Amino acid sequence: MAKYRKKPVVIDAIQFKVIKEIPCLHGVAKEHNSMDIAKFMNVPFLKVPTAPNGTPEGRTYIEIETLEGTMQADLGDYIIRGVKGEYYPCKPDIFEQIYEKVEDGAA
């Protein structure tokens, strides 16, 4: 048995988040940064569906095409551009354990 260390690599990432809450007839409408994520991923747009999950708001997510197939990124998840230009979602607790910010950039 041998021990290995992960090579240091700098990645680009953006967090899927609510950027504005707008009062409306049914409570609060939430505006997401899906257009910023679409630009980051170089795609024209991203669909932001909401699925029931036992809460009045439901579960809001985006679908990411990865090397392993389609994955869902929930609000709060990070979308990472890998070293070969691939994209995949990462839960915030895992992201924060693995990565630290080295610089701010426009997304």
Side-chain angles (χ1 to χ4, degrees):
M1 179 178 83
K3 293 186 185 264
Y4 294 87
R5 177 178 303 153
K6 192 173 186 178
K7 292 180 182 179
V9 61
V10 176
I11 53 100
D12 291 319
I14 186 170
Q15 190 173 29
F16 179 37
K17 60 186 177 182
V18 173
I19 55 174
K20 187 190 292 183
E21 292 188 344
I22 305 159
C24 69
L25 192 60
H26 303 288
V28 176
K30 296 179 181 180
E31 185 178 324
H32 311 95
N33 64 335
S34 58
M35 294 302 290
D36 293 334
I37 295 171
K39 183 178 175 184
F40 172 74
M41 295 179 64
N42 199 28
V43 295
F45 65 91
L46 290 170
K47 185 177 171 190
V48 185
T50 301
N53 70 344
T55 68
E57 298 85 22
R59 182 179 146 269
T60 302
Y61 64 93
I62 54 177
E63 291 183 343
I64 306 292
E65 294 302 322
T66 73
L67 297 176
E68 291 83 26
T70 304
M71 299 179 79
Q72 292 183 354
D74 295 314
L75 277 171
D77 289 356
Y78 285 84
I79 291 55
I80 296 172
R81 181 176 18 226
V83 295
K84 294 184 179 180
E86 74 281 14
Y87 296 95
Y88 54 95
C90 183
K91 294 293 179 198
D93 57 334
I94 303 298
F95 186 87
E96 291 162 8
Q97 288 177 25
I98 297 173
Y99 301 103
E100 64 183 15
K101 188 182 285 186
V102 293
E103 68 179 56
D104 279 325

